[in-house]
């Protein structure tokens, strides 16, 4: 078990974008002051990157490539597959904070997916033990509403990173992925891209302020109409322009 000295930040990203993700975070940190910490290696196609910074902190909302922003407190490596609970509990017990939520997470890769069954089984066990320790508390009422989230990230089956995120400086979805279900009446799956962009890049007050019923917009290159459908659904009038045909389900609404 190794304590980190600089602040190590864990950033989840789409596999293949690890270098972009790390470089963007370092660029943001450099704007604040020079970065002198030694940078950890980036593992290609791993679905995450870590950056070590001295005093700088990062702003999640300004990062394009990072799906999630987590401050790492402990790394456990190797983590015995026979008993992951004991070392994790011991490491979490040493942290000064109390947490409002526990998220067990894996990389968004094929290897990561093989660990999902384990995290589903393990979640209630760890959660129960942390509640008994008083490390995890209900974060729904009164003064406790802004407790940090606790993340236990398994880069592989025999290591873990324990970290926390600030609910006001991070993604509000597990693994930083907004899960959208495909609306049956939308003309194309691309509708999900715009729905995700709205959720990721705009907070609720911006969504209400900037996407108001009765507004007018234009969609250039709109066919088959997935993006137009998102806007129409929000009561926005649309001029949809394309030299190809718009989807059948959109013709009555455009
Ligand atoms: C990737 S699709 C857009 C998908 C759309 N955003 C949706 O959500 O369904 C790009 C569209 O741009 C249109 N397009 C490209 N060049 C165009 C042009 N010069 N004039 C009009 N439409 C054009 C294509 O016909 C195509 O339908």
């Amino acid at each position: 078990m190794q304590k980190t000295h600089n602040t190590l930040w864990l950033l989840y990203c789409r596999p293949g974008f690890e270098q972009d993700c790390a470089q963007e975070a370092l660029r943001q940190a450099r704007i604040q002051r020079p970065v002198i910490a030694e940078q950890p290696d980036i593992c290609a196609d791993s679905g995450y990157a870590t950056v070590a910074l001295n005093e700088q902190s990062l702003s999640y909302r300004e990062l394009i490539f990072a799906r999630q922003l987590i401050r790492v407190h402990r790394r456990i490596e190797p983590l015995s597959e026979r008993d992951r609970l004991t070392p994790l509990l011991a490491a979490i017990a040493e942290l000064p904070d109390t947490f409002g939520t526990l998220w067990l997470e894996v990389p968004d890769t094929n290897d990561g997916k093989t660990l999902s069954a384990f995290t589903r089984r393990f979640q209630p066990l760890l959660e129960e033990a942390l509640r008994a320790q008083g490390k995890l508390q209900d974060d729904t009422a009164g003064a406790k509403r802004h407790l940090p989230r606790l993340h236990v990230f398994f880069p592989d089956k025999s290591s873990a990173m324990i970290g926390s995120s600030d609910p006001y400086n991070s993604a509000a979805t597990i693994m930083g992925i907004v899960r959208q279900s495909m609306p049956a009446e939308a003309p194309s799956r691309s509708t999900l891209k715009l729905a995700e962009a709205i959720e990721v890049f705009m907070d609720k007050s911006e969504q209400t302020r900037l996407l108001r019923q009765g507004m007018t917009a234009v969609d250039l290159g709109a066919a088959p109409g997935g993006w137009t459908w998102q806007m129409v659904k929000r009561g926005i009038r649309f001029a949809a322009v394309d030299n190809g045909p718009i989807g059948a389900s959109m013709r009555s609404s455009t």
Side-chain angles (χ1 to χ4, degrees):
M1 205 176 302
Q2 181 198 335
K3 276 195 176 186
T4 53
H5 298 291
N6 304 306
T7 302
L8 189 68
W9 295 92
L10 169 62
L11 307 149
Y12 301 155
C13 63
R14 185 179 280 272
F17 292 89
E18 296 77 12
Q19 282 290 355
D20 302 282
C21 185
Q23 291 307 320
E24 184 190 34
L26 288 172
R27 225 175 6 253
Q28 188 188 95
R30 260 182 221 119
I31 292 168
Q32 300 166 37
R33 61 186 75 185
V35 177
I36 47 174
E38 196 174 309
Q39 290 310 310
D41 290 339
I42 300 295
C43 192
D45 299 317
S46 60
Y48 70 95
T50 49
V51 295
L53 303 177
N54 290 299
E55 294 150 33
Q56 306 89 339
S57 99
L58 295 168
S59 166
Y60 170 70
R61 291 212 62 195
E62 307 300 318
L63 296 170
I64 303 293
F65 289 98
R67 287 173 163 176
Q68 184 57 289
L69 176 61
I70 296 168
R71 187 186 282 262
V72 178
H73 302 294
R74 298 280 189 280
R75 302 177 74 159
I76 304 181
E77 193 173 8
L79 177 65
S80 163
E81 285 176 54
R82 272 188 285 165
D83 176 16
R84 293 179 173 106
L85 188 63
T86 309
L88 283 171
L89 274 180
I92 296 167
E94 288 174 16
L95 304 180
D97 287 317
T98 303
F99 302 95
T101 319
L102 169 68
W103 283 352
L104 301 190
E105 296 171 313
V106 297
D108 182 26
T109 60
N110 288 337
D111 285 347
K113 285 187 187 99
T114 64
L115 289 166
S116 306
F118 152 71
T119 55
R120 270 196 302 277
R121 277 197 317 275
F122 193 55
Q123 170 94 27
L125 297 177
L126 183 58
E127 202 167 309
E128 193 185 324
L130 290 173
R131 285 194 192 285
Q133 271 188 353
K135 282 307 236 183
L136 195 61
Q137 301 192 356
D138 283 332
D139 194 15
T140 48
K144 285 185 252 152
R145 196 173 293 149
H146 308 309
L147 292 175
R149 286 190 213 99
L150 177 63
H151 298 255
V152 182
F153 175 63
F154 297 94
D156 51 61
K157 61 188 171 148
S158 53
S159 65
M161 292 186 206
I162 299 168
S164 63
S165 65
D166 171 356
Y168 292 94
N169 188 24
S170 62
T173 47
I174 193 152
M175 285 167 64
I177 299 174
V178 178
R179 306 270 175 202
Q180 307 272 0
S181 52
M182 177 65 193
E185 38 332 336
S188 63
R189 287 195 66 76
S190 65
T191 199
L192 300 177
K193 292 184 195 163
L194 187 57
E196 181 175 350
I198 290 170
E199 283 306 316
V200 171
F201 295 121
M202 298 166 91
D203 63 28
K204 291 292 172 211
S205 75
E206 286 170 325
Q207 289 178 25
T208 316
R209 187 164 48 86
L210 299 172
L211 300 173
R212 282 203 315 276
Q213 193 152 18
M215 286 177 157
T216 305
V218 60
D219 187 350
L220 300 175
W227 290 20
T228 298
W229 186 88
Q230 277 298 326
M231 293 293 127
V232 169
K233 190 177 78 149
R234 290 168 162 82
I236 293 175
R237 293 181 58 78
F238 243 76
V241 179
D242 205 292
N243 56 7
I246 203 86
S249 65
M250 291 304 301
R251 282 184 212 136
S252 56
S253 31
T254 51

